[in-house]
Amino acid sequence: MAIASASSVTSSVVKPRNTITVVDNRTGKSIEIEITNNSIPATAFSQLKAPYADGERTENDTPYGLRILDPSFINTAMIQSEITYIDGNKGFLMHRGYPIEQLAEKSSYLETAYLLIYGELPSKSQSDLWTWEIMHHTFVADDLQQMIRQMRYDSHPMSVFISAFAAMSAFAPEANPSLQGNDIYINNKGLMNKQIVRILGKATTVAAMAYRIRINRPFTPPRSDLSYTENLLYMMDHMAEPNSYRPDPRLAKALDILFILHADHEMNCSTAAMVHVGSSLVDPYSCVAAASAALYGPLHGGANEAVIRMLTKIGSVENVPVFLDAVKQKKELLFGFGHRVYRETDPRSKVIREVADMVFEVCGREPLIEVAIALKDAALKDEYFTSRKLFPNVDYWSGLIYKAMGFPLDFFPVLFVVPRVSGYLAHWKQQLESGKNKISRPRQVYVGKSRRDYIPVEARVERTITGQNGLTEIPHYISKRRLTKI
Ligand code: CMC
């Protein structure tokens, strides 16, 4: 227990020690809390209890202990982790101790995925087996393929991806703790490893299917003799050519580097969702669906798509100042800038800038790059951005690369989520194996109505609902034809 003692503060000469003393001025009680890894347990505060003050709402639950209010987790650590470390002030990122720049230069996506999930770089034979297993788990069950096929051609590919993973859970009853028991993954490591390789293998197949639906083409079966990213490009792009068709190796390599850069980023919104949902012990397919849904929003994995829409709207370099003015007046958001953790340039965005040149050599220079460079340069000189420490993040350049490679805009988040699946799985495994998994159940501070008694409808004051949120404004399913009274 991290609470060292409960005592009153008496001494004015404080000998440094690794604790913090908190005085509750309502009661005079003080507690000394141990600091571990520069963090304190929020639960320590729950022992600070006080009687209700005069006129205080009973809903404040004051006698039951103080709560920590931290909407959006601005300064609350959700887990202890051994996977990824970010120094946001220096713009530094490492996985299991290895700097991201070294991994991007020397590793491959599947090797990095292994490192994230199992903690060490694989030996040669481990790496071969790992790759073989993943590339032989790329098939998607026939019935599931038919389900996926039923989606509309204009569905957002992320909707297809999320739905496919949610449905996949129904195709793996042996992997479902709700059916097989809470501790199946603790007692059977083989079962856990099997789900890991299956999920990694199927992520690319489902992604390619989402794309093929969008272009209204039949699905291409995966090929296990290709690399992870080659196979993805193959499944997306293979048409009527013989099976000897191979994607351009330079593009497969560029995508592999992008996948390394996107593989994990500690407690981002979607990985936190993975940990949160996983804490209920639901099956890993449902967890991946939930995490992917979190990634899909424009403030997270949808930002790369939003960057291109923004650059297209700006159109040309001379429109940059007008756009920046609108951002400063809070009428626009500069997508691809800013980060909850980085107060320096996102290190991934530096590597990605080099990948952009690699891709432009093959596919031609993306014309929006000039607008992007001018916008970035202007923002980095502007006090609004410098004072708020807003720098380019990974999404600023990734969208340009995907656009240059000819991927449709709405496919960009899919290219983010596929590699992020390895980070999700690393956190899922870490959580289950920690021996400390408890269901995630945040507190809330209730500020709503106090207790009151039910009023029968006849006794209620008549109110007409008007305005934007009024139900009368919502047409539901009723067409104008049906509004005519008989
Ligand atoms: N454009 C304009 N102003 C911004 C931006 C931006 N991109 N980002 C932050 N600000 C302002 C914000 O309005 C606030 O100003 P003020 O102090 O006047 O109220 C200040 O900077 C602090 O911002 P915040 O909203 O408190 O920061 P946050 O940590 O809650 O949000 C963020 C982080 C990434 C959601 C935000 O920077 C943002 O919306 N960026 C654009 C979307 C984006 O690029 N997302 C990708 C993030 S990286 C990859 C990933 O995580 O998926």
Side-chain angles (χ1 to χ4, degrees):
M1 184 59 181
I3 303 162
S5 68
S7 62
S8 38
V9 188
T10 47
S11 169
S12 56
V13 185
V14 182
K15 223 171 127 195
R17 52 185 193 275
N18 217 21
T19 62
I20 182 168
T21 301
V22 179
V23 183
D24 185 344
N25 293 324
R26 298 170 300 181
T27 58
K29 179 175 179 177
S30 79
I31 53 170
E32 189 174 356
I33 309 166
E34 204 172 293
I35 300 174
T36 311
N37 298 326
N38 194 30
S39 66
I40 54 168
T43 45
F45 289 85
S46 62
Q47 63 172 315
L48 294 175
K49 301 171 182 173
Y52 288 113
D54 277 351
E56 188 184 358
R57 288 156 52 86
T58 54
E59 291 80 7
N60 283 349
D61 291 343
T62 312
Y64 309 130
L66 195 67
R67 293 158 302 188
I68 308 288
L69 176 65
D70 187 10
S72 313
F73 296 116
I74 304 288
N75 191 34
T76 296
M78 186 183 184
I79 54 166
Q80 283 189 331
S81 179
E82 297 180 9
I83 301 169
T84 291
Y85 169 72
I86 300 173
D87 183 337
N89 293 314
K90 295 199 180 112
F92 175 73
L93 165 65
M94 67 184 192
H95 297 315
R96 304 280 190 185
Y98 296 102
I100 190 68
E101 294 82 358
Q102 290 186 24
L103 292 171
E105 189 193 333
K106 297 177 180 158
S107 184
S108 68
Y109 170 67
L110 284 189
E111 187 184 71
T112 301
Y114 185 98
L115 172 72
L116 287 168
I117 297 168
Y118 295 102
E120 293 296 340
L121 288 167
S123 67
K124 171 82 176 74
S125 60
Q126 282 173 327
S127 176
D128 291 347
L129 180 62
W130 172 243
T131 306
W132 194 93
E133 284 287 350
I134 291 169
M135 296 313 295
H136 284 80
H137 277 97
T138 44
F139 262 84
V140 167
D142 239 13
D143 293 347
L144 180 55
Q145 287 193 38
Q146 283 175 37
M147 277 180 64
I148 298 173
R149 190 80 255 179
Q150 301 312 310
M151 306 263 181
R152 283 169 57 127
Y153 79 92
D154 57 354
S155 320
H156 195 294
M158 278 302 288
S159 307
V160 179
F161 187 89
I162 294 162
S163 311
F165 263 97
M168 227 181 268
S169 144
F171 288 79
E174 77 287 0
N176 191 337
S178 302
L179 296 169
Q180 310 298 341
N182 290 0
D183 44 12
I184 48 170
Y185 291 118
I186 301 307
N187 296 336
N188 187 347
K189 294 285 175 245
L191 189 71
M192 176 182 263
N193 291 334
K194 186 168 177 195
Q195 305 327 306
I196 289 171
V197 291
R198 283 172 101 185
I199 289 173
L200 287 170
K202 290 174 200 336
T204 44
T205 315
V206 166
M209 286 174 169
Y211 177 75
R212 300 288 286 203
I213 288 174
R214 205 182 171 289
I215 59 166
N216 209 0
R217 291 288 179 275
F219 298 150
T220 316
R223 268 183 52 186
S224 57
D225 58 325
L226 302 179
S227 80
Y228 195 69
T229 48
E230 255 184 321
N231 178 48
L232 171 61
L233 290 172
Y234 171 81
M235 289 187 289
M236 290 176 73
D237 297 338
H238 179 255
M239 290 293 173
E241 312 91 339
N243 271 350
S244 56
Y245 163 76
R246 283 190 91 128
D248 189 306
R250 293 166 296 176
L251 296 183
K253 175 67 184 162
L255 206 53
D256 196 77
I257 298 175
L258 288 168
F259 274 24
I260 294 173
L261 298 178
H262 284 94
D264 189 49
H265 211 225
E266 52 117 303
M267 277 302 97
N268 54 89
C269 179
S270 57
T271 308
M274 181 83 187
V275 172
H276 186 97
V277 175
S279 77
S280 76
L281 301 184
V282 72
D283 70 274
Y285 301 92
S286 302
C287 291
V288 170
S292 309
L295 179 133
Y296 173 22
L299 295 187
H300 187 8
N304 49 20
E305 185 183 340
V307 167
I308 298 300
R309 293 189 204 283
M310 172 189 77
L311 295 175
T312 309
K313 193 169 144 193
I314 296 172
S316 63
V317 171
E318 53 284 8
N319 298 333
V320 164
V322 178
F323 178 78
L324 278 187
D325 280 346
V327 172
K328 291 192 275 182
Q329 289 167 38
K330 310 267 186 205
K331 290 182 189 154
E332 297 275 2
L333 199 56
L334 177 44
F335 281 98
F337 257 66
H339 200 275
R340 177 59 61 77
V341 180
Y342 290 119
R343 295 291 172 250
E344 237 303 332
T345 300
D346 179 341
R348 299 168 301 170
S349 82
K350 292 181 190 159
V351 180
I352 232 171
R353 183 67 192 85
E354 289 161 25
V355 179
D357 290 331
M358 251 169 91
V359 169
F360 294 164
E361 256 177 50
V362 183
C363 301
R365 197 169 162 83
E366 165 51 47
L368 285 176
I369 186 87
E370 310 307 342
V371 183
I373 291 170
L375 182 61
K376 175 209 51 132
D377 289 345
L380 292 182
K381 282 187 211 129
D382 194 301
E383 197 270 338
Y384 175 94
F385 298 93
T386 51
S387 63
R388 288 173 177 77
K389 298 195 188 305
L390 300 173
F391 295 95
N393 59 49
V394 69
D395 291 313
Y396 195 71
W397 304 112
S398 63
L400 287 164
I401 301 176
Y402 299 145
K403 183 161 185 291
M405 283 174 84
F407 296 118
L409 276 193
D410 54 11
F411 197 70
F412 294 4
V414 179
L415 294 167
F416 185 164
V417 78
V418 170
R420 185 54 59 89
V421 164
S422 59
Y424 297 158
L425 291 169
H427 282 88
W428 174 71
K429 180 171 178 288
Q430 174 176 260
Q431 175 88 351
L432 292 187
E433 290 180 343
S434 68
K436 292 183 197 151
N437 182 55
K438 275 172 89 73
I439 189 160
S440 287
R441 203 302 185 186
R443 300 294 306 268
Q444 66 154 13
V445 175
Y446 179 71
V447 294
K449 294 266 189 286
S450 291
R451 186 194 181 284
R452 50 187 174 162
D453 290 323
Y454 181 81
I455 306 166
V457 69
E458 312 79 51
R460 289 175 213 160
V461 177
E462 186 54 60
R463 285 191 306 270
T464 322
I465 305 168
T466 51
Q468 240 187 346
N469 297 320
L471 280 176
T472 49
E473 302 285 314
I474 302 169
H476 295 288
Y477 57 86
I478 302 173
S479 72
K480 282 186 188 168
R481 295 186 305 284
R482 290 190 42 160
L483 287 175
T484 323
K485 288 213 170 89
I486 303 167

